[in-house]
């Protein structure tokens, strides 16, 4: 019920106004609250076993998301094309830390929910990442990604892996599929399971 109330608070209705059941054409103005609200809904769906899979993009690649709450007025996409100055790189690091903190909020919520002999997070695989390693050059390699959760003990956690340049991201997905008892030798341009991921 608390989550339902938060959802209602983001767009209060005037007395006598009927709810607009159309899909909104833009996210709520408070970006962080929007991400946390969506995260809480996903966690609740997992907890209730209403679904086993969720996908949520914090923003679109060229969406122009700004971060005035961090004192940054330029859009993230615009900044990603101007990484040659220390000032812009500092702003991008600030944005990255902020977005990762929102991901951490979702992960912590999953960690705090008991499930069986562990937690919801222990029994899940949660991915956070980007489709580009360098936004300005549009390079689809050297991708920064985070994987949280242990996949019921099938995923090695608490480690930092650095794969050789040009390692396909699909190598990670081959490993994840194997952890989910869907063994596949190849997926897309994969070459092998990503070394060090599977327990």
């Amino acid at each position: 019920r608390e989550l339902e109330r938060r959802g209602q608070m983001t767009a209060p209705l005037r007395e006598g106004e009927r709810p607009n059941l159309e899909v909104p054409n833009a996210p709520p103005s408070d970006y962080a609250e929007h991400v946390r609200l969506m995260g809480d809904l996903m966690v609740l769906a997992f907890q209730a076993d209403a679904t086993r899979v969720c996908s949520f993009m914090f923003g679109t690649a060229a969406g122009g998301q700004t971060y005035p709450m961090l004192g940054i007025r330029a859009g993230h996409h615009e900044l990603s094309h101007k990484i040659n100055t220390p000032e812009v790189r500092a702003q991008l690091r600030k944005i990255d830390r902020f977005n990762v903190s929102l991901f951490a909020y979702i992960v912590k919520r999953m960690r705090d929910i008991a499930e069986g002999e562990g937690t919801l997070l222990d029994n899940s695989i949660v991915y956070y990442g980007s489709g580009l390693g360098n936004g300005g050059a549009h390079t689809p390699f050297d991708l920064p990604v985070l994987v949280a959760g242990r996949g019921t003990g099938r995923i090695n956690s608490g480690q930092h892996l650095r794969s050789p340049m040009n390692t396909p991201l699909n190598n990670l997905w081959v490993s994840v599929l194997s952890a989910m008892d869907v063994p596949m030798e190849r997926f897309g341009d994969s070459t092998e399971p990503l070394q060090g991921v599977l327990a």
Side-chain angles (χ1 to χ4, degrees):
R1 178 68 181 121
E2 184 271 335
L3 190 57
E4 185 181 19
R5 284 189 181 121
R6 276 177 51 203
Q8 291 170 340
M9 292 294 288
T10 60
L13 299 174
R14 292 188 297 264
E15 189 167 334
E17 184 179 8
R18 295 183 56 151
N20 180 358
L21 300 179
E22 294 179 19
V23 176
N25 60 7
S29 59
D30 187 333
Y31 168 76
E33 177 58 15
H34 171 65
V35 172
R36 286 189 293 266
L37 183 61
M38 295 302 294
D40 286 341
L41 286 170
M42 290 185 292
V43 170
L44 187 60
F46 291 143
Q47 186 179 14
D49 203 18
T51 187
R52 301 280 173 101
V53 179
C54 283
S55 176
F56 174 49
M57 287 177 56
F58 283 17
T60 60
Q65 176 66 48
T66 60
Y67 294 82
M69 71 292 264
L70 304 178
I72 300 170
R73 298 285 175 200
H76 184 256
H77 182 250
E78 176 189 344
L79 291 170
S80 73
H81 285 268
K82 300 176 180 176
I83 62 171
N84 294 330
T85 70
E87 179 186 353
V88 168
R89 286 195 299 273
Q91 289 178 328
L92 286 170
R93 281 193 297 274
K94 199 171 185 181
I95 290 169
D96 288 344
R97 281 198 282 291
F98 180 70
N99 281 322
V100 169
S101 76
L102 296 173
F103 172 71
Y105 169 85
I106 296 168
V107 169
K108 183 180 182 304
R109 294 276 294 119
M110 295 177 74
R111 186 198 67 196
D112 291 345
I113 295 172
E115 186 175 89
E117 295 181 11
T119 68
L120 178 59
L121 182 61
D122 290 330
N123 295 322
S124 301
I125 302 170
V126 188
Y127 169 85
Y128 175 84
S130 170
L132 298 175
N134 179 328
H138 289 195
T139 53
F141 51 81
D142 201 19
L143 303 176
V145 303
L146 295 170
V147 178
R150 301 201 64 242
T152 64
R154 296 177 182 195
I155 299 289
N156 282 321
S157 62
Q159 61 178 336
H160 175 260
L161 299 175
R162 187 163 181 91
S163 299
M165 187 63 78
N166 297 323
T167 300
L169 178 61
N170 282 330
N171 287 3
L172 171 62
W173 302 133
V174 168
S175 302
V176 168
L177 286 166
S178 178
M180 295 172 21
D181 290 329
V182 183
M184 294 182 72
E185 289 185 22
R186 294 187 58 103
F187 180 75
D189 66 349
S190 69
T191 55
E192 62 181 345
L194 194 63
Q195 298 300 310
V197 171
L198 295 174

